[in-house]
Amino acid sequence: MKRVIYIGVLAFMYVLLCSKSCNQREQFDASREEARIESARDSITSFFGADSLSINSLKGFEESAKLKSSDFWDYLNLLNDQKTVSGFKSQTRAIIVELFLSDRCTFQLYTDGKRKLNRIKIAEMVDSTSKIQKNIFGLKPDSIWISTGLHMLNDSIFTGQLYFRFPLSIRLSDKQGSHIPGGAGEIWALKREKRFGSETLKVWNVFLGNITLDNQPH
């Protein structure tokens, strides 16, 4: 009988110690995760939340702007592709708008020798009823470069410009084979509020601005 009681006590102590060990491990993991998040937040704040941008930071944002410009054409073609499912198109519209400084930024298209101007806001351009999407379906630059580097407008806003070219084989679909060599686009770097878990930080980010397609080579 004593042996049974002894074994029972040992089993109880084992469970108790294991439980305590597990709790300590969970507390340790939670503390380590909290420290990791805090470290990441501090790193983000020190770089993206800095009061000013260094030359290297500006160059990095310029490269990011070039990538966003390339992404814009990819997403725009996905939006216009009849094979893209409707649910994904809704997400694509939202992604396109997030690339820009505002959904009020404009997309301008000069066509024909008479330089006919078509101007449309990004919010209208990504709308399912937009006709201009079909006019430029399939367009994709084969080169994008910074023509005017990011420069300061004030202590929290930088602006610049990029150019892009299309392959010679690409033609506008509804302009009787007319060719648009390329165009230009604004780029902007500024601070905006961004959520990080339960906190909101004001961090630097880069956005696209007004875009112009032109039949005149740059």
Side-chain angles (χ1 to χ4, degrees):
M1 183 66 179
K2 290 183 179 181
R3 183 181 179 186
V4 172
I5 295 174
Y6 179 71
I7 292 174
V9 171
L10 288 178
F12 174 76
M13 292 180 63
Y14 176 79
V15 171
L16 183 64
L17 291 173
C18 284
S19 176
K20 184 176 181 180
S21 176
C22 289
N23 289 336
Q24 289 176 337
R25 178 60 182 271
E26 289 175 359
Q27 291 174 0
F28 174 76
D29 289 343
S31 298
R32 185 171 61 178
E33 179 66 13
E34 184 177 347
R36 187 185 66 81
I37 293 173
E38 183 71 16
S39 176
R41 186 182 66 83
D42 291 343
S43 298
I44 291 170
T45 303
S46 64
F47 180 81
F48 292 101
D51 292 334
S52 60
L53 293 176
S54 66
I55 294 177
N56 287 337
S57 296
L58 291 173
K59 293 298 181 184
F61 280 126
E62 289 171 2
E63 291 301 312
S64 179
K66 288 162 61 177
L67 291 174
K68 287 192 173 186
S69 180
S70 179
D71 289 343
F72 165 70
W73 295 101
D74 287 335
Y75 287 125
L76 196 60
N77 286 325
L78 276 175
L79 191 62
N80 296 317
D81 194 335
Q82 294 181 353
K83 297 179 181 178
T84 305
V85 296
S86 58
F88 186 68
K89 283 189 176 183
S90 297
Q91 297 178 13
T92 304
R93 292 188 185 97
I95 292 172
I96 291 175
V97 170
E98 289 176 356
L99 295 174
F100 286 83
L101 183 64
S102 165
D103 62 2
R104 295 186 298 275
C105 291
T106 58
F107 185 93
Q108 302 177 99
L109 172 62
Y110 288 99
T111 57
D112 303 331
K114 298 179 181 178
R115 297 187 62 78
K116 178 182 177 182
L117 173 63
N118 296 279
R119 182 186 287 115
I120 186 171
K121 294 178 181 177
I122 296 300
E124 299 168 340
M125 185 179 186
V126 299
D127 189 271
S128 58
T129 61
S130 172
K131 295 181 180 179
I132 197 172
Q133 295 177 17
K134 297 179 181 178
N135 298 348
I136 58 176
F137 178 63
L139 288 180
K140 170 70 178 179
D142 61 358
S143 59
I144 302 173
W145 67 97
I146 301 296
S147 57
T148 303
L150 286 168
H151 54 279
M152 182 184 290
L153 288 185
N154 56 48
D155 59 358
S156 60
I157 300 177
F158 291 76
T159 188
Q161 189 177 52
L162 55 75
Y163 279 151
F164 49 86
R165 278 187 175 276
F166 299 118
L168 293 176
S169 59
I170 291 183
R171 305 278 173 173
L172 289 182
S173 60
D174 71 338
K175 296 299 178 183
Q176 299 179 346
S178 63
H179 176 63
I180 298 293
E186 299 171 347
I187 57 175
W188 297 86
L190 68 159
K191 276 188 171 183
R192 280 191 174 173
E193 290 186 347
K194 188 175 181 64
R195 295 281 298 178
F196 292 94
S198 60
E199 295 187 56
T200 300
L201 301 177
K202 212 167 186 181
V203 297
W204 290 97
N205 204 343
V206 66
F207 301 93
L208 304 178
N210 297 328
I211 293 179
T212 301
L213 266 62
D214 203 336
N215 61 358
Q216 300 297 317
H218 293 285

